[in-house]
Amino acid sequence: MLESVGPLTGSPWIYAAVAVSVLLDVFLPVLPSGVLVITAATAAAAGSAGAVVGQPVPNIMALTLSAATASVLGDLVAYRLAWRGGERLDRAIARSRRLSSAQERLGAVLARGGGARGALVVLARFAPAGRSVVSLGAGAAHRRVREFLPWSIVAGLAWAAYSVALGYFGGQWLGASWLATGVSFLALFGAGAGAAYLMRRPAPQESGTGA
């Protein structure tokens, strides 16, 4: 595996590549940012195990921080763009039943606050395209940044740490091979499928009459 991606994983540019991929996949969810993070972490595992000699390998702490930071920055860019999107964005959301439904559900959960809000933002970071829906939805709904940013930081750190851990420990257990990367990616995909399922579940109804 490392022979194919070695020139990138053995260069300091890997952190920039990871950051750009993670930042942009809030707008283009098809970008393989998770695969890139896992591959770089697998290379780091190979270096720690002595499988790579004379070639620099990524530092897992720097890799985690670059992925988490880019994740939060991407969320904020999407949030701000949606906040200023105006009528054009509102019409685009209204034309999509899926986006309209997601925005309504998002608004209800964000309004409840507390753990429900945090759970939604964190789960969305793992679900396919969930990060995009939550970031754009929070901006379009004009939710306050203090309701969104702290949980975006938690979500970015959780996703980055999980992805790096998958690649790193997969590389240590299975070796620096495509098998290790594939198994790690399947675990990341499984987490995303589980998060998507939980996000689709109807929110529990509030008890009592309330004001």
Side-chain angles (χ1 to χ4, degrees):
M1 179 195 70
L2 293 180
E3 288 77 5
S4 302
V5 296
L8 181 59
T9 59
S11 165
W13 286 104
I14 184 61
Y15 305 114
V18 164
V20 170
S21 178
V22 172
L23 191 152
L24 292 179
D25 77 3
V26 70
F27 303 105
L28 300 170
V30 296
L31 286 178
S33 59
V35 176
L36 185 57
V37 172
I38 286 173
T39 302
T42 304
S48 69
V52 178
V53 179
Q55 177 181 316
V57 294
N59 178 278
I60 59 169
M61 184 61 69
L63 185 63
T64 302
L65 289 177
S66 63
T69 301
S71 178
V72 176
L73 289 176
D75 289 354
L76 281 178
V77 171
Y79 169 84
R80 286 300 183 186
L81 287 175
W83 182 288
R84 300 173 181 175
E87 295 181 359
R88 178 178 297 182
L89 179 63
D90 292 339
R91 287 197 298 268
I93 293 176
R95 284 195 295 267
S96 170
R97 188 171 69 176
R98 180 180 178 184
L99 287 177
S100 298
S101 175
Q103 187 182 38
E104 291 175 4
R105 187 160 60 250
L106 172 66
V109 174
L110 289 178
R112 289 165 56 199
R117 177 195 305 154
L120 176 69
V121 177
V122 174
L123 282 174
R125 185 61 188 87
F126 288 82
R131 174 191 179 201
S132 304
V133 171
V134 168
S135 299
L136 293 170
H142 288 189
R143 308 306 307 183
R144 290 174 294 183
V145 70
R146 68 183 183 186
E147 297 177 351
F148 173 71
L149 179 58
W151 292 111
S152 173
I153 295 172
V154 172
L157 284 171
W159 177 85
Y162 179 72
S163 301
V164 169
L166 285 179
Y168 186 78
F169 291 112
Q172 286 197 327
W173 294 333
L174 300 175
S177 64
W178 286 113
L179 175 62
T181 303
V183 170
S184 300
F185 179 68
L186 285 176
L188 184 65
F189 178 82
Y197 170 76
L198 291 174
M199 287 183 67
R200 286 195 297 267
R201 294 177 61 186
Q205 299 296 320
E206 297 285 351
S207 59
T209 56

